[in-house]
Amino acid sequence: MTSRKVDDLRARDCILIGAGGHARVIQGLAELCGANILGVCDPKFRDGGDKLWYGLEVLGGDEYLSQVSPEKVLLLNGIGMMPGNSVRKVVFERLKEMGFSFPPLVHPFAWLSPYACISDGVQLIAGAVVQPGASIGTNTIVNTRSSIDHDSQLGAHCHLAPGATLCGDVRIGDGSFVGAGATVTQGISVAPQTFIKAGSLTTRDVP
């Protein structure tokens, strides 16, 4: 298993999707990686009243993307994920169907083993650690100071919240949310769409 090649964000311009707290984190991460962000799209900007958002040009609502060639820009998913909220996944899949690409983002202060594998749209935030043999599914957030140990698998459209820990050989199903500071111990399997509470210790399989 080898790591997916992380895109050179300087090769194509980027557009940020979403204008909430997670979007501000992704803006900073992408800029550290050398991205040129053309602007930000969010439904709340549909009326056209705002011109700038944290220094970025406001492009409008999602309808703006119908005017953009998917071959010319990359998209950055700034929509966060909370338990039971599928907006991040729905928007990601809709825009993928339109032909857009979401590059994986790896913060300069995250560590990704060359023997780990990440998919499109994965976001490794500052302090995240991904050990050898680990794999991370499409559009998943590995948040601040969280860690994934050897041979663990984190599914698509998941969120590993700040400070969460997956020990070795853990399996987390698609769409799951592992809360801040939670720990899943060695060899545990967790079903899709599972919510693991912040600060909890999971020592048995979650069917």
Side-chain angles (χ1 to χ4, degrees):
M1 181 181 294
T2 57
S3 174
R4 180 201 191 283
K5 182 182 181 296
V6 176
D7 299 74
D8 183 354
L9 295 183
R10 294 164 293 187
R12 278 196 280 174
D13 293 330
C14 299
I15 293 176
L16 180 64
I17 306 301
H22 187 66
R24 297 203 302 272
V25 173
I26 297 307
Q27 176 191 1
L29 192 169
E31 289 174 347
L32 282 172
C33 294
N36 178 42
I37 305 177
L38 296 176
V40 57
C41 289
D42 189 282
K44 69 183 180 183
F45 297 138
R46 185 173 292 127
D47 295 336
D50 297 280
K51 301 301 181 184
L52 288 176
W53 180 86
Y54 289 92
L56 295 180
E57 181 181 353
V58 171
L59 302 175
D62 292 349
E63 68 280 354
Y64 174 85
L65 297 173
S66 64
Q67 311 168 37
V68 177
S69 169
E71 297 179 356
K72 294 184 178 180
V73 299
L74 297 168
L75 299 186
L76 310 173
N77 195 348
I79 301 169
M81 176 185 171
M82 294 298 290
N85 188 331
S86 63
V87 173
R88 177 181 170 89
K89 174 185 176 183
V90 169
V91 171
F92 177 89
E93 292 181 338
R94 175 169 56 83
L95 294 175
K96 287 284 285 186
E97 289 177 358
M98 291 172 61
F100 288 101
S101 297
F102 291 80
L105 300 174
V106 179
H107 195 284
F109 295 142
W111 189 77
L112 172 64
S113 168
Y115 302 103
C117 182
I118 62 174
S119 303
D120 293 340
V122 167
Q123 297 169 345
L124 303 186
I125 313 301
V129 174
V130 182
Q131 298 286 13
S135 65
I136 306 173
T138 300
N139 193 40
T140 284
I141 303 169
V142 181
N143 221 319
T144 312
R145 299 189 313 279
S146 56
S147 64
I148 303 173
D149 220 306
H150 66 86
D151 303 305
S152 289
Q153 296 179 9
L154 183 58
H157 311 293
C158 291
H159 186 175
L160 195 61
T165 299
L166 305 184
C167 297
D169 202 29
V170 167
R171 303 287 185 270
I172 304 291
D174 294 350
S176 293
F177 185 102
V178 182
T183 298
V184 182
T185 58
Q186 178 87 14
I188 296 301
S189 293
V190 174
Q193 308 295 329
T194 296
F195 171 42
I196 297 178
K197 292 182 180 181
S200 63
L201 176 63
T202 301
T203 60
R204 297 180 180 179
D205 289 350
V206 181

